[in-house]
Amino acid sequence: MKIATFATRVSGKKLTAAGGFSLIEVVLALGVMSMSLMGMLGLTLVGLTSMREAMDQTVLTQIVQRVSSEVQLTPFDKLDTSILARTFYFNAEAIEQTAADDTTRFVVTLSRQAPSFPQSGTAQDFQRSLASIRIFVNQTTGVTVTPGRQTSFAVLVPNSGEL
């Protein structure tokens, strides 16, 4: 009697060789798939970094808009005493805080500069009718200011009262 092989008849039906993947094909497929996944992981990290930067920029814009509005609503003669003497603290959601703590993400300071325009008169002529306010926003990690993460903006505030 013959020894049964893989391609012999069993109960009257002929068996054929089973189709499948060789070990080399499986290894190659896993290699291609792992390289693809590594590329997608790299793109995910870039996307997350871009999303974080976009969120920070949005929060920064909200903070500057809020401080700028407060500066413009302050009476011109009280700019130096009421608004420029303050330091503003904000958390990561642009909510103002009364003092710096571990959740502080942005520290805002203001300074007044003499307005100047090209081919114009002296700065004294403008200082009674226009104030140039610089808004400095420092990003922090808790109470420590992060070096190199300062952004500045300029706001021109007209004197809408008496000269």
Side-chain angles (χ1 to χ4, degrees), residues 20-150:
F21 298 106
S22 69
L23 182 60
I24 293 175
E25 292 171 328
V26 170
V27 169
L28 285 174
L30 286 174
V32 168
M33 190 170 68
S34 65
M35 293 301 285
S36 303
L37 289 175
M38 293 296 283
M40 285 192 282
L41 179 65
L43 289 175
T44 302
L45 294 176
V46 169
L48 289 174
T49 302
S50 296
M51 183 183 75
R52 181 65 188 163
E53 289 174 359
M55 287 174 47
D56 283 347
Q57 189 65 33
T58 300
V59 169
L60 185 70
T61 303
Q62 291 173 344
I63 290 170
V64 169
Q65 185 176 19
R66 184 188 181 308
V67 172
S68 174
S69 296
E70 192 165 338
V71 166
Q72 290 178 350
L73 290 173
T74 303
F76 192 80
D77 58 342
K78 295 190 174 89
L79 278 175
D80 293 325
T81 58
S82 66
I83 203 86
L84 295 177
R86 287 182 58 197
T87 300
F88 298 88
Y89 303 98
F90 293 91
N91 65 10
E93 287 82 32
I95 298 172
E96 188 174 358
Q97 300 173 306
T98 56
D101 60 18
D102 291 340
T103 62
T104 300
R105 204 65 191 156
F106 299 94
V107 177
V108 180
T109 56
L110 305 168
S111 72
R112 184 176 187 158
Q113 298 176 338
S116 63
F117 297 98
Q119 299 180 4
S120 62
T122 63
Q124 291 288 11
D125 297 340
F126 292 114
Q127 286 185 357
R128 291 186 318 231
S129 59
L130 186 66
S132 177
I133 307 295
R134 296 289 285 186
I135 301 172
F136 298 99
V137 182
N138 292 301
Q139 292 190 21
T140 65
T141 51
V143 269
T144 308
V145 174
T146 307
R149 298 295 306 238
Q150 183 183 54

